[in-house]
């Protein structure tokens, strides 16, 4: 589905309203399988760098939290094996990343997850 198609816009609108049905098929996030702790660590690092200096981590915007969950967390190929708490923590960090960096933040996350997997595979 192309992001500019009316169906895509409709789906995102329904998603934000929490009415979007789950989509069958394989995960759409182009990253290797990874443990939740590793993915959370990468997302946390990127979000902390993106969030303006504050004394405590801000709460994610609820609509962005739903978008982060549906379009990033649930689309990770390892997500079915993660606990609900791990998915919720990752969604928090991804929502903050989206809030402060938009789609570029998600692209940086995908790149960082792929780089982390490559480093791990190379042993470096």
């Amino acid at each position: 589905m192309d992001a500019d198609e009316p169906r895509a816009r409709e789906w995102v609108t329904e998603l934000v309203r929490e009415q979007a049905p789950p989509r069958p098929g394989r995960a759409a996030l182009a990253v290797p399988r990874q443990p939740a702790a590793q993915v959370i660590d990468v997302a946390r690092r990127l979000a902390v760098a993106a969030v303006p200096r504050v004394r405590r981590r801000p709460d994610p915007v609820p609509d962005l939290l739903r978008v982060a969950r549906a379009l990033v967390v649930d689309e990770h190929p390892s997500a079915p094996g993660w606990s609900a708490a791990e998915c919720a923590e990752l969604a928090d960090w991804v929502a903050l990343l989206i809030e402060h960096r938009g789609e570029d933040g998600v692209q940086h996350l995908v790149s960082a997850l792929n780089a982390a997997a490559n480093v791990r595979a190379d042993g470096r």
Side-chain angles (χ1 to χ4, degrees):
M1 176 171 11
D2 186 330
D4 292 327
E5 288 182 34
R7 278 185 319 148
R9 287 191 204 131
E10 231 173 78
W11 186 80
V12 170
T13 300
E14 290 171 3
L15 169 73
V16 170
R17 291 184 187 141
E18 296 187 86
Q19 299 171 359
R23 294 182 311 156
R26 27 173 250 178
L29 206 61
V31 296
R33 292 178 130 338
Q34 297 159 308
Q38 180 181 0
V39 179
I40 291 166
D41 203 40
V42 171
R44 180 186 311 113
R45 180 175 42 82
L46 292 172
V48 166
V51 175
R53 296 285 177 225
V54 292
R55 292 182 184 252
R56 66 177 184 82
R57 182 182 83 184
D59 293 327
V61 175
D63 287 347
L64 290 179
L65 193 56
R66 288 189 286 276
V67 169
R69 179 66 188 246
L71 298 181
V72 178
V73 177
D74 291 348
E75 293 300 325
H76 193 288
S78 299
W82 297 341
S83 71
E86 290 168 328
C87 290
E89 183 178 359
L90 179 57
D92 282 354
W93 290 114
V94 172
L96 289 171
L97 188 57
I98 292 170
E99 180 179 355
H100 294 282
R101 292 291 185 256
E103 184 180 342
D104 287 345
V106 174
Q107 293 305 317
H108 289 143
L109 176 61
V110 168
S111 294
L113 291 174
N114 283 319
N118 289 337
V119 166
R120 204 174 73 207
D122 291 346
R124 292 184 257 154

